[in-house]
Amino acid sequence: MHIPSKYLKYIKISGVVVAVLIVVAFVAGLIAYSKREAILETLVQKAKGKAKRDYGLNLAIVNPHFEGLSTIAFSDVSIVPENRDSLLQMSDLHIKVKLLPLLLGDIKLSGLKVKSGKVQLTKRDSIRNYDFLFKKKNDDNANVSSKPNYAQLANKLLNQLLYKIPDDMDLRNFEFLIVRDDSRMKFYVTSAVIDDGDLRSSILINNKESVWHIDGTVEPSDNKLDFKLYAEGKKVELPLIEQKLGLKLNFDTVYTQLKNTKKSGDEFHIYGSWGIKNLLINHPKIAANDIVVPYGSIDADLLIGENYIAVDSSSVIHLRDIEARPYIKYTVSPTKTYELKLRTEEMEAQHVFDSFPIGLFESLEGMKVAGKLQYSLDFFLDAAQPDSVRFSSTLQPQGFRILKWGKINLQKINSPFIYTPYEYGKPMRDIKIGPENPDYTPIDQIAPELRNAVLTAEDPSFFSHRGFVEKSIRRSIATNFKEKAFKRGGSTISMQLVKNVFLNRQKTLARKVEEILIVWLIENNRISDKRRMFEVYLNLIEWGRNVYGIGEASRYYFDKSPSNLNLGESIFLANIIPRPKKSLYYFQPDGSLRTSLRGYFKLIGNLMAARGYVARDTNAYGFYSVRLKESLRQQIAPADSVVVDSLFEADEEDTDLFLKNIFGGKKPDTIHVDQVSKLKVIQEDTTLSRAEKRRLKREQRKKEREQRRNDD
């Protein structure tokens, strides 16, 4: 092919330039090579000065020198924080770096060899030898108002991590020691070798208590890692976590795989998967017993943007035979938002029940079902507008039916059974829930006023909902988020009933989830009708100290049968359901109610009137007719009425003070803040129209203002 002469001139000029650059680079390389020991010594001195100045670390490096073109060797290296225990010691250290990335300003390890070493993290009382890790660097040029770009930061950190994984490694006799006051955990690496991408290691735990292995393949140049952690002949155990958090945690094998990373626009993607085999969890807040997950994993697409971190919906969670697609997103600015979505395709119902972690739902273990199930969850909360929280949770059945019960027959609620209430973990007594108990009262023999008062106060939509009221749950989430504590629950009568009849009274996360599942089974499979459930509820719940069921309660307080309760007595009994042990507190020594309770009577009475249960009444709906029976009045001590009134007229902002004074600073688990805040009770009543709610709220606020003026 003929090349025009004018182009030949440019090619010759380019060739001369390239040749000159090569000569200059070669000469510079020769000069640098001849001066490299001096340059290395200068860099070592700068590193020592920076470590001392910025972090208070005494860095000692003995005999730094080059071996060959790109290998740096050290006889000994040590790091000792000022006035702290020694942090690091290594001997016979050889580091080989890649030349091309080094010319571009990156340090990428090609090889690493350590003959022996030790890293020691200590915490004695409040003194730690690793405090420098949390020390903020002083940078006068830093823009304090600037916010980090999480995508750029994640990209940089991951690349730095991958760059520091050598292509070849030979680590021997390396000890990693964690000391926390009197507890110690020692990891002794007898060998950790990377040879042509294959990783093999052997780690002795606490002087041969067990032997761990981290094996797999590492290809940092291709952004790929694939390895697993397991122990020889036993589980991997983490006693330090148990000592610090009370969480017992062990497993057979954990798998980690980094498949790829990609920068796409303003997003940084990390593609990987993580799995675990035979995970055991035990914590008193999670469950009363061991929970075992035979196998669980997630194939995840992790998205990191400028101001958010997310798990994309293309990710898949595997839990035995269950597959679910999650979407999780946490946004930092301009306001903090939390978003969670979870969805499954239609699944065989038996596969779902078989995939539950062992020990999580003990009462349902062994249950046989047929049909299909599909689950979806949608949650969104903006920290700046928590009241607008979005929440929906749906378990959709298709031809679902129960073929065989598990450990507990949920139909027992339809026949007489024995109920054993517990106090502080101890059984109180056995109570027969059925006609053999003389105090048991069929629902038709319970005064309508009592039934309607309880429904109004506890669960106005009980006869129309299917076990849950999502609106109430949303309000509970918003309240608890704003208060940064659990101040309000969303339990329905169905949930309270299941908790009492089928489950232990231990307050654990597993028990709460099991309660929700059993409620769904009962309500969606028509295992028991609503009237029967309400009847059992009224005959089973606590109404006072060692007082259970409406039959005992009506006789205990008023020496009446449940059929003869009047409106005032009914509203009083509805009022004490959330706090039954404080029931006598509401009475004066003469047996009348304290005036502080009038507002509650007017509130519940107006709500009942709005629903057509009672006629409108300007005389506090039977408040003045309530009289405690004579034999109980001697148990009541005189009290300062001003203090009492101020407690019961508390508004929403004073709720915590109210609870603290009434319950001695400790709230019982059954407290319903809806009962304390009168305006919230109105808002929760789903049977009222918006206009009725507005009217009742205006009336309530007016009554509160009048009451405060009277008290003043």
Side-chain angles (χ1 to χ4, degrees):
M1 182 178 66
H2 176 71
I3 300 176
S5 59
K6 63 177 181 179
Y7 293 119
L8 285 173
K9 180 177 65 173
Y10 295 129
I11 292 173
K12 290 178 181 179
I13 293 172
S14 300
V16 171
V17 172
V18 170
V20 170
L21 289 175
I22 291 174
V23 171
V24 171
F26 181 72
V27 172
L30 289 176
I31 295 172
Y33 185 80
S34 64
K35 299 288 186 181
R36 61 182 181 160
E37 297 292 347
I39 295 173
L40 178 60
E41 183 61 35
T42 300
L43 293 175
V44 167
Q45 294 304 320
K46 285 185 177 180
K48 288 181 179 180
K50 183 177 179 61
K52 183 72 172 180
R53 180 179 61 255
D54 293 348
Y55 301 106
L57 301 176
N58 297 309
L59 172 62
I61 300 176
V62 178
N63 189 27
H65 61 280
F66 278 90
E67 291 181 349
L69 184 62
S70 60
T71 300
I72 305 172
F74 308 90
S75 297
D76 289 288
V77 176
S78 67
I79 299 176
V80 182
E82 196 72 30
N83 301 318
R84 299 286 193 273
D85 293 332
S86 174
L87 178 68
L88 178 143
Q89 290 177 319
M90 286 190 292
S91 63
D92 198 11
L93 171 64
H94 300 256
I95 300 174
K96 187 175 182 179
V97 297
K98 294 185 177 182
L99 293 178
L100 183 59
L102 187 62
L103 294 174
L104 299 174
D106 289 322
I107 299 176
K108 191 168 185 179
L109 297 186
S110 173
L112 175 65
K113 182 178 179 181
V114 180
K115 185 176 181 180
S116 66
K118 180 178 180 179
V119 172
Q120 178 178 264
L121 302 179
T122 63
K123 179 181 180 298
R124 305 181 193 280
D125 296 325
S126 60
I127 307 300
R128 302 176 296 186
N129 73 338
Y130 49 91
D131 284 326
F132 70 92
L133 295 173
F134 309 103
K135 182 180 179 180
K136 294 183 178 179
K137 292 176 60 178
N138 294 322
D139 188 352
D140 296 334
N141 298 321
N143 183 0
V144 295
S145 63
S146 64
K147 295 180 180 180
N149 184 313
Y150 289 103
Q152 293 179 0
L153 181 61
N155 190 11
K156 180 179 178 180
L157 290 176
L158 185 60
N159 284 332
Q160 289 296 319
L161 172 64
L162 293 172
Y163 279 2
K164 299 307 181 285
I165 298 176
D167 293 333
D168 296 292
M169 181 179 74
D170 189 358
L171 187 67
R172 308 279 176 174
N173 306 315
F174 198 93
E175 180 180 320
F176 188 84
L177 183 64
I178 301 175
V179 180
R180 294 182 58 86
D181 299 323
D182 295 331
S183 64
R184 296 164 61 92
M185 190 163 187
K186 179 180 176 182
F187 304 83
Y188 188 77
V189 182
T190 58
S191 68
V193 177
I194 299 176
D195 183 11
D196 195 24
D198 290 331
L199 169 64
R200 298 290 180 268
S201 67
S202 183
I203 308 167
L204 305 182
I205 309 299
N206 293 336
N207 298 319
K208 300 183 180 180
E209 183 179 286
S210 63
V211 182
W212 291 5
H213 296 282
I214 301 177
D215 296 344
T217 58
V218 291
E219 301 174 32
S221 299
D222 296 329
N223 292 348
K224 292 182 180 179
L225 303 173
D226 188 356
F227 56 85
K228 61 183 179 180
L229 166 65
Y230 62 96
E232 283 186 11
K234 61 189 307 184
K235 287 179 173 290
V236 175
E237 296 181 327
L238 304 170
L240 275 181
I241 294 180
E242 185 172 2
Q243 293 168 11
K244 183 173 178 58
L245 304 176
L247 172 63
K248 182 180 178 182
L249 187 70
N250 61 55
F251 53 85
D252 284 352
T253 311
V254 65
Y255 306 86
T256 298
Q257 185 178 28
L258 174 64
K259 298 177 181 178
N260 196 11
T261 64
K262 181 179 70 175
K263 188 74 165 61
S264 176
D266 294 331
E267 287 186 334
F268 181 57
H269 292 245
I270 300 176
Y271 301 95
S273 63
W274 294 265
I276 196 162
K277 184 178 180 181
N278 287 329
L279 170 66
L280 183 147
I281 301 173
N282 188 307
H283 190 280
K285 294 294 184 182
I286 298 175
N289 47 272
D290 292 344
I291 294 177
V292 178
V293 180
Y295 182 77
S297 68
I298 177 172
D299 297 318
D301 176 7
L302 183 64
L303 281 69
I304 304 174
E306 181 179 351
N307 64 339
Y308 65 85
I309 300 174
V311 175
D312 190 66
S313 58
S314 60
S315 306
V316 182
I317 295 174
H318 305 270
L319 190 63
R320 198 170 172 180
D321 296 321
I322 297 177
E323 286 190 1
R325 293 193 175 274
Y327 177 76
I328 307 169
K329 186 176 182 181
Y330 170 60
T331 304
V332 178
S333 60
T335 62
K336 289 184 178 180
T337 62
Y338 310 84
E339 188 169 4
L340 170 63
K341 293 182 180 180
L342 189 67
R343 179 177 175 81
T344 71
E345 300 300 327
E346 272 196 353
M347 305 170 289
E348 292 293 334
Q350 190 60 57
H351 290 172
V352 175
F353 279 74
D354 290 343
S355 298
F356 290 149
I358 299 168
L360 185 62
F361 306 136
E362 285 190 296
S363 61
L364 303 179
E365 288 181 4
M367 178 176 283
K368 299 299 180 183
V369 296
K372 297 181 182 296
L373 295 171
Q374 188 272 327
Y375 180 72
S376 60
L377 169 70
D378 183 13
F379 169 80
F380 179 84
L381 187 145
D382 185 339
Q385 305 177 62
D387 288 324
S388 64
V389 62
R390 184 175 76 231
F391 175 85
S392 66
S393 175
T394 306
L395 183 61
Q396 190 67 37
Q398 182 68 36
F400 180 85
R401 63 188 187 279
I402 299 170
L403 305 177
K404 178 189 174 191
W405 301 110
K407 289 186 177 180
I408 295 179
N409 185 341
L410 300 184
Q411 284 184 323
K412 83 170 190 177
I413 195 174
N414 296 323
S415 305
F417 63 93
I418 300 295
Y419 169 60
T420 306
Y422 282 76
E423 294 285 348
Y424 307 107
K426 297 181 179 180
M428 297 294 291
R429 58 190 170 101
D430 289 341
I431 302 173
K432 188 74 173 180
I433 305 300
E436 294 180 16
N437 180 352
D439 287 317
Y440 184 86
T441 311
I443 194 166
D444 291 333
Q445 297 177 27
I446 299 173
E449 291 82 358
L450 185 280
R451 303 198 306 260
N452 294 329
V454 170
L455 286 172
T456 301
E458 287 292 300
D459 190 354
S461 58
F462 170 71
F463 280 95
S464 59
H465 67 59
R466 301 290 290 273
F468 312 99
V469 181
E470 287 190 350
K471 184 176 181 180
S472 179
I473 295 173
R474 289 194 294 269
R475 293 187 181 280
S476 174
I477 293 171
T479 298
N480 295 333
F481 180 84
K482 288 186 288 187
E483 298 293 336
K484 301 296 186 289
F486 186 80
K487 294 292 184 72
R488 177 177 181 177
S491 291
T492 60
I493 284 178
S494 302
M495 296 169 73
Q496 296 177 50
L497 181 63
V498 164
K499 177 178 63 178
N500 283 283
V501 175
F502 299 107
L503 302 174
N504 61 56
R505 303 305 300 272
Q506 293 168 326
K507 307 173 188 72
T508 65
L509 177 62
R511 196 222 67 191
K512 189 65 179 178
V513 177
E514 188 174 17
E515 172 189 314
I516 293 170
L517 185 55
I518 293 176
V519 168
W520 183 89
L521 287 169
I522 291 176
E523 290 271 10
N524 286 271
N525 292 276
R526 309 296 185 186
I527 292 174
S528 183
D529 66 69
K530 290 283 192 174
R531 280 178 60 83
R532 172 61 183 176
M533 292 171 68
F534 192 36
E535 178 180 301
V536 172
Y537 174 81
L538 294 174
N539 279 276
L540 177 144
I541 60 173
E542 184 179 12
W543 300 81
R545 292 187 180 276
N546 201 26
V547 178
Y548 295 92
I550 187 59
E552 289 186 17
S554 58
R555 293 177 178 85
Y556 176 78
Y557 294 104
F558 308 118
D559 205 14
K560 287 184 175 181
S561 68
S563 61
N564 294 325
L565 293 169
N566 61 35
L567 178 60
E569 293 161 345
S570 297
I571 294 178
F572 165 77
L573 289 172
N575 167 67
I576 66 173
I577 290 176
R579 39 196 178 273
K581 289 182 174 57
K582 300 295 178 180
S583 56
L584 295 181
Y585 182 92
Y586 299 96
F587 289 98
Q588 301 278 17
D590 66 354
S592 62
L593 290 171
R594 292 176 176 173
T595 56
S596 55
L597 208 56
R598 284 179 304 187
Y600 180 85
F601 269 66
K602 293 177 181 178
L603 167 69
I604 298 299
N606 283 333
L607 289 170
M608 293 175 69
R611 301 181 71 186
Y613 292 150
V614 296
R616 290 274 173 196
D617 182 4
T618 59
N619 201 26
Y621 294 93
F623 170 82
Y624 297 103
S625 68
V626 179
R627 285 292 183 275
L628 183 67
K629 72 179 184 182
E630 191 74 35
S631 60
L632 287 180
R633 298 178 189 179
Q634 58 187 358
Q635 300 181 29
I636 302 170
D640 188 336
S641 62
V642 175
V643 174
V644 174
D645 284 353
S646 67
L647 291 177
F648 277 89
E649 291 300 325
D651 56 19
E652 294 183 28
E653 287 73 27
D654 294 328
T655 295
D656 282 345
L657 177 62
F658 170 87
L659 297 173
K660 182 177 179 181
N661 282 277
I662 293 293
F663 302 107
K666 183 177 181 180
K667 302 183 292 298
D669 297 313
T670 54
I671 183 67
H672 291 186
V673 176
D674 296 42
Q675 297 280 351
V676 177
S677 174
K678 303 173 180 107
L679 294 175
K680 285 181 180 177
V681 175
I682 296 173
Q683 187 62 40
E684 285 300 312
D685 196 331
T686 58
T687 64
L688 300 177
S689 66
R690 291 183 179 180
E692 288 174 316
K693 287 182 179 180
R694 286 195 295 269
R695 179 179 59 77
L696 288 170
K697 285 181 178 179
R698 287 195 299 269
E699 291 180 4
Q700 183 59 37
R701 292 190 183 102
K702 180 179 179 181
K703 291 171 184 175
E704 289 177 351
R705 288 194 296 270
E706 292 175 351
Q707 182 65 43
R708 282 194 287 271
R709 285 196 295 269
N710 293 336
D711 290 341
D712 293 339

